Amino acid sequence: MIRNKADVDQGWAWVVMLSSFIAHALIYGLTYSVGVFVVIFLDEFHESSGATAWIGSMNTAACMGISPLSSVLINKYGCRSVLIVGSVISSIGLISSSFATNIYHLYITFGLILGSGLGIAYIPCIISVTEHFEKRRTLALGIAVSGVGIGMLTYPPLTQELLKRYNWRQAVLIIGAILLHGVVCGALLFPCKARLPIHVQLPKRKFISLSMFKKEIYTKLCINNMLFAFGLSIVFVHLPSYIISVGHSEYAAAMLMSVNGIANLIGKILHGIAAQHPTLTATRLYTMSFMMVGIVTLLCPFSSNYYYLLVYCIFLGTFSSCWGSLLPVVLVELIGLHRMNNGYGFIMIYAAVGILLGAPVAGKILTVIK
């Protein structure tokens, strides 16, 4: 694959970045707002916290676990077609969830179908920006993935507002229709055009490649992502319920999740800017931010005061934003751009394992304690 000056760091590359930004808001904004839906499903079906948490965990695990398939499809059909198909599948999953009569239906529709669609749609959002940028890659990725923050900011209050006007089934149906806008984002992901070569020659993509596993550092990074996903899934699925359990309203919980979304939005951009500094590598910044997420989460249970939780959500959103904004750049640094597509897809499997186990394990512990 030959990249060309007319397509790299300028011109249509910025349209691709904007499209990726909007798609991130639609796709991962919903994934990170699963906790709001878990509260709805708890009230509707009256199942245990552990059983209900499986809905959110299966959703996010399917989203990440299907990433290698998305990578294979991108190698075959390109980012444009894959994002469009993923958006359609996502919408079908969420719309069908509005007809669920028990929690087991939601395991399939909200968990597996919606999660798979979101996962298929997510990878092309990352790969397309990575390929269209070189010198400004960290900044462009930081801006693109900050769309997650917009989604996290928008989905909780939007869901609460829809619930005031309609029942939960109608609200889910409307949000399912909103997801279809990802088709428009996909239509804008044109591949690089062949003009004005800048002497950048990348190896031809294989349909599927496992060569990145020959590097020990890649395996370590996979384990790192699995452990981080395990902990982060507990926070995002159970945090709204925890906020309510310590005496705050559902609306207050939604607002705190929105604050988390704002912090995530700003944090992704700040991480992208900071990683541009010549003395601070993306890998080092990534490591420091991961450490801060653990520290602030350990401090969270020490107070149920609303403003204390507000500060926690700000720090959580800011530092956890490094996962989306810096991971692609870290992968390019460690395994090379030509392995980025397959490398990103397979690392998401490890993250999926962590997410699949995290929230249900925490929910089970909560049920036993109660």
Side-chain angles (χ1 to χ4, degrees):
M1 178 181 64
I2 299 177
R3 294 189 298 158
N4 301 276
K5 186 176 180 179
D7 300 304
V8 179
D9 291 314
Q10 59 184 327
W12 195 259
W14 296 106
V15 178
V16 171
M17 185 202 71
L18 178 60
S19 176
S20 177
F21 172 87
I22 297 172
H24 271 90
L26 293 171
I27 297 167
Y28 250 47
L30 178 62
T31 302
Y32 275 80
S33 302
V34 161
V36 176
F37 293 94
V38 168
V39 172
I40 296 172
F41 300 147
L42 275 169
D43 291 339
E44 175 68 19
F45 298 107
H46 307 291
E47 298 286 349
S48 67
S49 297
T52 308
W54 273 104
I55 299 173
S57 290
M58 291 177 69
N59 175 281
T60 313
C63 179
M64 294 185 171
I66 205 168
S67 296
L69 174 60
S70 181
S71 296
V72 168
L73 293 174
I74 290 170
N75 289 339
K76 181 72 174 179
Y77 301 106
C79 293
R80 191 184 188 200
S81 299
V82 175
L83 177 53
I84 291 173
V85 170
S87 298
V88 172
I89 294 174
S90 301
S91 182
I92 291 172
L94 196 54
I95 289 173
S96 59
S97 295
S98 66
F99 298 99
T101 57
N102 59 58
I103 199 172
Y104 302 104
H105 292 164
L106 291 172
Y107 285 164
I108 298 172
T109 58
F110 195 95
L112 296 180
I113 299 177
L114 173 60
S116 297
L118 294 175
I120 291 172
Y122 174 63
I123 299 298
C125 297
I126 293 292
I127 302 301
S128 58
V129 176
T130 303
E131 291 182 343
H132 278 81
F133 288 88
E134 184 176 339
K135 293 181 180 178
R136 299 186 178 95
R137 183 177 292 143
T138 54
L139 177 61
L141 278 168
I143 295 173
V145 299
S146 67
V148 176
I150 293 293
M152 293 171 66
L153 170 65
T154 305
Y155 275 114
L158 172 63
T159 303
Q160 292 299 320
E161 188 62 32
L162 289 174
L163 289 173
K164 290 179 182 178
R165 299 172 181 268
Y166 311 100
N167 61 45
W168 75 268
R169 298 180 186 277
Q170 293 169 324
V172 169
L173 185 66
I174 292 171
I175 296 174
I178 292 174
L179 274 180
L180 273 177
H181 288 79
V183 173
V184 180
C185 297
L188 296 174
L189 299 186
F190 291 103
C192 294
K193 296 179 181 179
R195 290 186 297 172
L196 301 176
I198 55 171
H199 312 295
V200 178
Q201 178 73 46
L202 296 176
K204 185 179 179 180
R205 272 183 186 162
K206 295 181 180 179
F207 188 67
I208 187 169
S209 173
L210 301 177
S211 62
M212 57 279 182
F213 284 101
K214 295 179 181 179
K215 293 179 172 287
E216 182 181 351
I217 190 65
Y218 178 76
T219 303
K220 292 179 179 178
L221 189 62
C222 288
I223 296 173
N224 161 269
N225 273 257
M226 180 175 66
L227 296 175
F228 185 74
F230 182 92
L232 200 62
S233 69
I234 295 173
V235 175
F236 280 108
V237 171
H238 292 290
L239 184 58
S241 299
Y242 170 75
I243 293 170
I244 294 170
S245 71
V246 295
H248 302 291
S249 66
E250 291 186 10
Y251 183 79
M255 287 300 100
L256 284 176
M257 296 306 293
S258 292
V259 168
N260 182 54
I262 296 173
N264 193 277
L265 164 65
I266 298 173
K268 289 183 186 300
I269 298 174
L270 291 178
H271 276 107
I273 294 173
Q276 295 276 97
H277 196 279
T279 62
L280 186 61
T281 66
T283 303
R284 182 180 300 174
L285 183 59
Y286 180 83
T287 303
M288 291 189 298
S289 296
F290 266 35
M291 182 177 65
M292 289 303 301
V293 171
I295 292 173
V296 298
T297 300
L298 283 172
L299 296 174
C300 177
F302 283 90
S303 175
S304 61
N305 180 272
Y306 183 82
Y307 294 103
Y308 184 90
L309 294 173
L310 176 66
V311 172
Y312 167 68
C313 287
I314 292 174
F315 279 107
L316 174 67
T318 301
F319 290 113
S320 66
S321 67
C322 72
W323 197 15
S325 59
L326 294 182
L327 180 57
V329 185
V330 170
L331 280 171
V332 172
E333 288 182 0
L334 298 180
I335 64 175
L337 180 60
H338 61 289
R339 296 189 184 97
M340 164 64 186
N341 186 18
N342 288 307
Y344 197 91
F346 277 97
I347 205 171
M348 288 295 103
I349 289 184
Y350 285 81
V353 171
I355 285 177
L356 183 64
L357 297 176
V361 168
K364 184 65 175 178
I365 293 173
L366 181 62
T367 301
V368 170
I369 293 174
K370 286 184 176 180

